[in-house]
Amino acid sequence: MNEEVNSLPVVVVGGGPAGLMAAEVLSAAGVAVHLFDAKPTVGRKFLLAGIGGLNLTHAEDLPAFVGRYGERAPECGRWLAAFGPQAIRDWAQSLGIDTFVGSSQRVFPTDMKAAPLLRAWLHRLRHPASGVPVRLFMRHHWDGQLQPVNNGAWDLCFQSPGGEVTVRARAVLLAVGGGSWAKLGSDGRWAEPLRAQGVDVAPLRPANCGFDAAVRGRAGWSAHLSERFAGQPLKSVGLLVDDGAGRHFSRKGEFVLTATGIEGSLVYAASALIRDTIARDGHATVFLNLRPDLDAERVRREVAHPRGSRSLSSHLKSRLNLSAVHTALLHEVLSADELHDNQKLAAAIQHLPITLVATRPIDEAISTAGGVRLEALDEGLMLSTHPGVCCAGEMLDWEAPTGGYLLSACLASGRVAGEALLRWCKKSRDEAAR
């Protein structure tokens, strides 16, 4: 990897879904692409997402789909207008991967696996029916620097198994991920170097993450709850969050008790609101409805039903089908007096306050918020401070819940950036020909 690749048309940094999608756009149009990744193989987080079934996208109506991106819905909506959920399914089909819509409206490959799709994708990148093959360079760690060259090109420096390598590119796509799952390549180490070079980068924060709880001024659960019930799911429960400033979340779903707090799909869906409330107030109180399918009067009546010699746990199991983990949570939060007050106990079953005081570490999060601010980019995701350099994927400042939304926007942003770089390359060729 010396003179042969010293001066390149397009360099893509990052072999995740966004980087691979941009490379595909450029390759298919006949532009030579050299893709560099720090890991031995590409798509490692993509493969991790496939454990238990690769959730490619979601089949809900596009307006509702776009609404999942919160404050960034207008920008993400533009990406998805160019490459939306149906386009993603058609693209997978073009790779020979059939998809289906599950009961939750999530879209999966028929075989529920990520590896066959990634293999087919890499085969097409390396052996395209038309265009030029993408060249992949693994174990190349980018140092985060973009050095301008007089002719409008950019020099990038990589640490490789063979030593330091500098490449010169006419155009660059950065798709280096966020800050979660560092062992898979998304370590966020690019943020500070880019910030030092004048790129507007918002601090990386955990998204789709778990939280640590506090009970009666004590950090974490009691030893009893932690040792006996960590890892236990709570299914078909309601979660209510209100930040007191106009943001509200209320949904039914499933989450898991951890040794220190809570995590899981229902918690992830509310994680941005919870995280931001903790950042503002130092804590956030969420409310659990352990029996959201019953009206309040029915719960009061069942709690007040005489229980004779039965324990409270047996009584609640018998009358309301509350499991041991539900009862343990009630014992954790309520005082002895409250547990023996039928009115207060009934109210708590449907409105149990849980105080959350911290997000789990960013490397435990499924994804991150923060990154290169979208205001620093044009509609083609090109940096205003670095002409010819686009950014895509999770390194951008947006977030979304799980359910296919993260992967969809990564793929769509890669498509948008790839097409912008294609236009940039054509413009550069036309200018050089004059």
Side-chain angles (χ1 to χ4, degrees):
M1 196 185 123
N2 289 318
E3 292 183 3
E4 157 179 35
V5 292
N6 261 347
S7 185
L8 310 174
V10 178
V11 163
V12 172
V13 186
L20 293 174
M21 182 57 74
E24 180 176 352
V25 170
L26 291 153
S27 165
V31 177
V33 177
H34 293 69
L35 187 149
F36 297 80
D37 193 274
K39 293 301 178 180
T41 56
V42 299
R44 292 199 160 198
K45 196 171 180 183
F46 181 79
L47 291 174
L48 177 70
I51 296 176
L54 178 65
N55 186 189
L56 267 178
T57 187
H58 203 285
E60 68 184 339
D61 292 341
L62 191 58
F65 191 107
V66 171
R68 303 295 185 182
Y69 298 90
E71 295 177 356
R72 291 306 194 182
E75 295 90 346
C76 294
R78 285 196 291 271
W79 312 342
L80 293 162
F83 196 68
Q86 186 57 52
I88 291 171
R89 297 186 70 183
D90 294 343
W91 165 78
Q93 180 63 55
S94 75
L95 292 169
I97 305 298
D98 294 328
T99 59
F100 73 96
V101 180
S103 58
S104 63
Q105 293 293 94
R106 298 184 181 199
V107 176
F108 301 91
T110 302
D111 62 6
M112 299 290 287
K113 297 178 181 177
L117 190 154
L118 183 59
R119 282 197 299 270
W121 196 3
L122 290 174
H123 180 80
R124 182 153 77 188
L125 292 173
R126 290 174 171 136
H127 309 284
S130 60
V132 295
V134 174
R135 296 191 61 187
L136 304 179
F137 297 90
M138 299 295 98
R139 297 187 176 91
H140 280 67
H141 297 254
W142 177 51
D143 67 2
Q145 300 296 320
L146 291 163
Q147 298 295 337
V149 183
N150 289 337
N151 62 0
W154 297 94
D155 280 356
L156 296 89
C157 183
F158 298 88
Q159 292 297 325
S160 77
E164 187 175 286
V165 176
T166 298
V167 298
R168 181 163 295 172
R170 297 297 307 176
V172 178
L173 185 280
L174 302 178
V176 288
S180 63
W181 291 91
K183 67 181 181 181
L184 302 180
S186 298
D187 57 21
R189 287 189 292 179
W190 51 268
E192 190 52 43
L194 283 187
R195 193 178 290 117
Q197 295 168 79
V199 178
D200 191 2
V201 180
L204 294 173
R205 298 168 292 158
N208 292 295
C209 58
F211 295 88
D212 290 335
V215 181
R216 301 176 199 167
R218 181 193 68 236
W221 304 125
S222 65
H224 171 76
L225 190 73
S226 179
E227 292 168 6
R228 290 200 57 189
F229 295 101
Q232 290 286 314
L234 285 90
K235 300 182 178 181
S236 299
V237 297
L239 178 67
L240 170 67
V241 188
D242 192 320
D243 73 346
R247 296 173 67 190
H248 180 84
F249 176 92
S250 180
R251 193 175 301 174
K252 180 180 170 181
E254 178 179 337
F255 72 91
V256 176
L257 284 183
T258 68
T260 60
I262 58 176
E263 66 178 22
S265 58
L266 184 59
V267 175
Y268 299 156
S271 62
L273 179 54
I274 298 171
R275 179 199 64 218
D276 294 348
T277 303
I278 292 173
R280 185 193 69 197
D281 299 337
H283 69 278
T285 300
V286 304
F287 295 92
L288 304 181
N289 187 339
L290 304 181
R291 286 308 310 265
D293 52 322
L294 300 180
D295 62 50
E297 179 54 37
R298 168 75 182 278
V299 173
R300 283 193 293 270
R301 190 165 64 248
E302 298 295 351
V303 168
H305 189 278
R307 60 185 171 102
S309 62
R310 287 181 303 177
S311 68
L312 178 61
S313 185
S314 297
H315 176 61
L316 295 178
K317 173 66 176 175
S318 166
R319 304 305 304 182
L320 289 168
N321 197 30
L322 293 183
S323 67
V325 65
H326 294 120
T327 306
L329 263 179
L330 290 168
H331 276 277
E332 187 81 3
V333 176
L334 302 181
S335 68
D337 288 344
E338 289 169 326
L339 286 168
H340 290 91
D341 183 316
N342 288 341
Q343 292 294 325
K344 290 180 178 178
L345 176 58
I349 287 170
Q350 294 194 300
H351 202 66
L352 183 67
I354 304 293
T355 300
L356 304 175
V357 293
T359 62
R360 293 298 298 160
I362 195 168
D363 198 47
E364 294 181 14
I366 291 177
S367 59
T368 49
V372 177
R373 296 187 194 272
L374 301 187
E375 292 79 8
L377 306 159
D378 66 17
E379 290 195 0
L381 301 181
M382 186 172 290
L383 286 167
S384 58
T385 54
H386 294 66
V389 179
C390 288
C391 301
E394 201 181 327
M395 72 178 296
L396 302 179
D397 183 19
W398 61 277
E399 62 181 310
T402 57
Y405 307 106
L406 290 165
L407 183 52
S408 292
C410 283
L411 291 168
S413 66
R415 192 88 178 188
V416 168
E419 290 172 350
L421 287 177
L422 190 58
R423 293 190 297 271
W424 180 264
C425 291
K426 182 179 184 304
K427 176 185 173 184
S428 297
R429 286 196 303 269
D430 291 347
E431 290 175 349
R434 291 195 188 106

